Amino acid sequence: IVIPIYQDAELVGSVQRKIVGNPKYINSLGMNKDQILFPFDKVQPIDRKVILVEGIFDAIKAYQEGVTNVLSSFGGSMSQGHIRMLGSIARTVVICPDKDRAGLKMAERSTRMLLDKGLEVEYVFPSGKAKDFGDMDVDDFSQLKYHSYWKLQILKKSLNTMMERSNA
């Protein structure tokens, strides 16, 4: 599967998803994913809020279901370029990490970077047995529970605790 990646209405590369074998994802040569969020050209922030997911298929699924304030960071690794882009369109970034160790690390690192640039941070976790945003059922989107970074700090709740609770 090959997904074209556009930035400012210009084709900047593509991502290939292999069905069998590793690596699973191959970015086209010369594509600087540190300067790209998918699909930045189509995102529609709601009340200056966007949802940040890890994978491009998570973002594609969200758009198919009518959730158009979602962006993917190509696997979760955040850069200063991503932070600038997010700050240009949003005041609040809702991080939706995958429910695994890598997702937790991405959320923690991204939180620090976003807060350092003055952005508000919230979290939402895939509900039930869903591993990531793309695994959720359509009805789940309206049931998302948002958690403010500051509220979690006051309650002394960790991201890991909140992620575990989302499994219920």
Side-chain angles (χ1 to χ4, degrees):
I1 299 170
V2 177
I3 300 157
I5 307 298
Y6 290 88
Q7 198 81 15
D8 298 323
E10 180 182 325
L11 181 65
V12 294
S14 63
V15 175
Q16 176 183 357
R17 169 63 160 98
K18 292 171 76 175
I19 303 301
V20 178
N22 284 315
K24 287 184 189 178
Y25 294 95
I26 301 172
N27 298 325
S28 59
L29 291 176
M31 186 175 84
N32 184 356
K33 68 180 191 172
D34 288 343
Q35 300 297 322
I36 302 169
L37 292 167
F38 178 82
F40 195 75
D41 286 358
K42 297 197 181 307
V43 69
Q44 298 173 355
I46 298 173
D47 297 327
R48 297 223 31 178
K49 184 183 287 193
V50 295
I51 299 172
L52 183 67
V53 297
E54 290 186 46
I56 59 175
F57 285 100
D58 298 334
I60 289 170
K61 168 77 185 269
Y63 280 78
Q64 287 174 336
E65 302 302 338
V67 182
T68 59
N69 66 329
V70 175
L71 289 168
S72 166
S73 62
F74 294 92
S77 178
M78 291 293 292
S79 70
Q80 290 301 322
H82 291 147
I83 303 297
R84 279 189 297 280
M85 292 172 72
L86 290 166
S88 74
I89 60 168
R91 179 75 188 115
T92 303
V93 177
V94 181
I95 300 172
C96 183
D98 289 358
K99 285 201 259 186
D100 56 21
R101 182 180 296 276
L104 201 55
K105 281 181 66 175
M106 178 279 289
E108 290 169 345
R109 182 172 181 270
S110 298
T111 296
R112 287 189 300 275
M113 293 174 74
L114 291 162
L115 291 173
D116 284 348
K117 294 299 181 185
L119 294 166
E120 296 293 323
V121 176
E122 294 180 359
Y123 308 97
V124 65
F125 300 99
S127 57
K129 300 218 182 278
K131 177 190 155 305
D132 57 35
F133 204 77
D135 287 343
M136 295 189 329
D137 292 328
V138 177
D139 294 341
D140 289 343
F141 290 115
S142 64
Q143 307 296 322
L144 294 176
K145 293 180 181 156
Y146 293 84
H147 307 281
S148 160
Y149 168 81
W150 297 111
K151 181 179 177 182
L152 293 181
Q153 293 301 303
I154 290 167
L155 296 174
K156 299 188 185 308
K157 300 287 183 186
S158 71
L159 286 178
N160 192 43
T161 299
M162 299 311 293
M163 190 179 289
E164 288 172 1
R165 286 186 181 177
S166 71
N167 289 326

